[in-house]
Amino acid sequence: MSPTSLPDVLVTTEWVAKHATDSGVRIVEVDVDTTAYDQGHVPGAAGWNWTSQLCDTLVRDIVPKKTLEQLLGDTGIDNKTTIVLYGDNNNWFAAWAFWQLKIYGHQDVRLMDGGRKKWLAEGRDLSTDVPSFGKKTYTASEPDLSLRAFLPEVQEAMKRKSASMVDVRGPQEFTGEILAPPGLPETCQRGGHIPGAKNIPWGKNCNDDGTFKDVAELKAMYAAQGITADTPVIAYCRIGERSSLTWFVLKHLLGFDRVKNYDGSWTEWGNLVGAPVEKP
Amino acid sequence: MKPEDYSRRQQELAGWAISIETYKLGDVYHCSIANVDPGARFARADGSTREEAEARALEKAARYLAQTRRFGP
């Protein structure tokens, strides 16, 4: 996306280079590969681990409210902090963190457009120092579940065709040729997709440098697949992080009101006894 | 520190398209490997030279890719 037209939920790499250590701003890296932060990160950035800090580690669920409050406070974040998230894979898990922060009502959270990929390609400074932050007190709101779809709602939407279902996985996952992205563990029993879902892979949201495409281009791409603001949308993938990136695009770049991320995604649906599956 | 000797390229490994990203930070070369579709990093390694880091990462990647099964229609 061109720097002159960035919505207020995006910042450029250049902005981050200038403001990373400003008071009131906290940069946080969240990666798919949880070791990436140790290979060098934006100087002054905190690192969050999605497998242990951004989920409930006992029950399959998003991060509990108290745990999030503790994490944010320990990262020197209060309710007024501008949080800028970035990460590998064009911000997959940065978007996952963004989605959860919005569920818990954080006002000013943004993504660094292009993520870690663009920062590295531009040869910008990296640090291996882990910064320490003065603790702050954070009070999260009760979860806004209008941003999240659970299984019964998805089943109902499928039956009644009351929402557009967007499967953001790759075409080979959508058709059931593979159960998980190449090289990653297989965590479902059946391949295919939720009947009626449209396959719009997450990568179609992004340019080669990792930045988001222009709003007009994105709007036209989704409209061509029948995805508009007129109908509620449910996005899903395999575990909910790629779909949180598409949720971010639809909700915050295109301004759709009724968009939910189904974080149960294919690892729930594809393991469910008796769930209908469409192939290809 | 500035990353040095940055490179990103694509190739095929065990029948899958992968991208290989390598850079040097300080005295260490870091290499990470992602599948091209959907673009997820799934193997990484470090080394004192580019060749060493990439060879280690590619060895891991080949092992992980061998576990990915293809299913017929």
Side-chain angles (χ1 to χ4, degrees), chain A residues 37-107:
Chain A
Y37 178 82
D38 302 325
Q39 293 179 296
H41 48 263
V42 172
W48 289 344
N49 184 326
W50 72 270
T51 64
S52 59
Q53 293 176 298
L54 292 174
C55 60
D56 187 316
T57 53
L58 183 60
V59 175
R60 184 180 176 190
D61 208 342
I62 61 171
V63 62
K65 183 168 176 273
K66 288 282 175 209
T67 308
L68 181 73
E69 289 174 335
Q70 182 77 42
L71 174 66
L72 293 172
D74 289 348
T75 313
I77 292 169
D78 63 25
N79 292 68
K80 291 186 175 171
T81 303
T82 297
I83 304 174
V84 178
L85 301 158
Y86 76 98
D88 61 4
N89 294 8
N90 294 9
N91 287 328
W92 282 10
F93 272 99
W96 167 258
F98 183 106
W99 172 67
Q100 294 200 44
L101 286 166
K102 284 300 181 190
I103 284 177
Y104 285 111
H106 192 78
Q107 193 65 36

Side-chain angles (χ1 to χ4, degrees), chain A residues 164 166 198 200 205 215-230 233 249-250 254 256:
Chain A
S164 301
V166 178
K198 298 273 174 60
I200 309 175
N205 295 307
V215 167
E217 192 177 349
L218 289 167
K219 196 167 272 185
M221 178 183 80
Y222 282 102
Q225 295 283 335
I227 309 300
T228 68
D230 298 336
V233 180
V249 168
L250 295 172
L254 302 190
F256 289 14

Side-chain angles (χ1 to χ4, degrees), chain A residues 96-266:
Chain A
W96 167 258
F98 183 106
W99 172 67
Q100 294 200 44
L101 286 166
K102 284 300 181 190
I103 284 177
Y104 285 111
H106 192 78
Q107 193 65 36
D108 191 358
V109 53
R110 310 171 192 202
L111 293 181
M112 181 174 83
D113 202 16
R116 186 181 166 89
K117 179 182 184 179
K118 188 163 193 282
W119 185 273
L120 269 174
E122 291 173 342
R124 295 187 181 275
D125 280 338
L126 292 174
S127 172
T128 53
D129 296 337
V130 178
S132 56
F133 307 104
K135 285 194 178 186
K136 293 203 172 169
T137 300
Y138 192 94
T139 307
S141 304
E142 290 304 314
D144 176 2
L145 297 179
S146 72
L147 309 181
R148 188 182 189 196
F150 291 91
L151 178 64
E153 182 181 356
V154 179
Q155 290 171 315
E156 196 64 16
M158 182 203 68
K159 280 182 201 157
R160 296 182 180 278
K161 301 189 189 319
S162 54
S164 301
M165 216 77 76
V166 178
D167 185 323
V168 315
R169 298 174 300 160
Q172 290 171 307
E173 293 172 273
F174 184 76
T175 60
E177 182 185 343
I178 57 177
L179 299 181
L184 294 174
E186 295 172 356
T187 50
C188 61
Q189 291 296 311
R190 292 290 180 271
H193 56 268
I194 298 174
K198 298 273 174 60
N199 186 209
I200 309 175
W202 72 277
K204 290 186 180 293
N205 295 307
C206 301
N207 298 307
D208 286 344
D209 67 355
T211 57
F212 288 104
K213 289 178 178 170
D214 286 329
V215 167
E217 192 177 349
L218 289 167
K219 196 167 272 185
M221 178 183 80
Y222 282 102
Q225 295 283 335
I227 309 300
T228 68
D230 298 336
T231 308
V233 180
I234 296 172
Y236 75 92
C237 57
R238 185 176 66 118
I239 55 174
E241 89 291 25
R242 281 178 279 176
S243 50
S244 58
L245 186 138
T246 291
W247 170 87
F248 172 85
V249 168
L250 295 172
K251 179 86 179 174
H252 289 280
L253 299 186
L254 302 190
F256 289 14
D257 277 338
R258 295 171 296 167
V259 190
K260 294 187 177 189
N261 182 24
Y262 169 38
D263 57 304
S265 278
W266 197 253

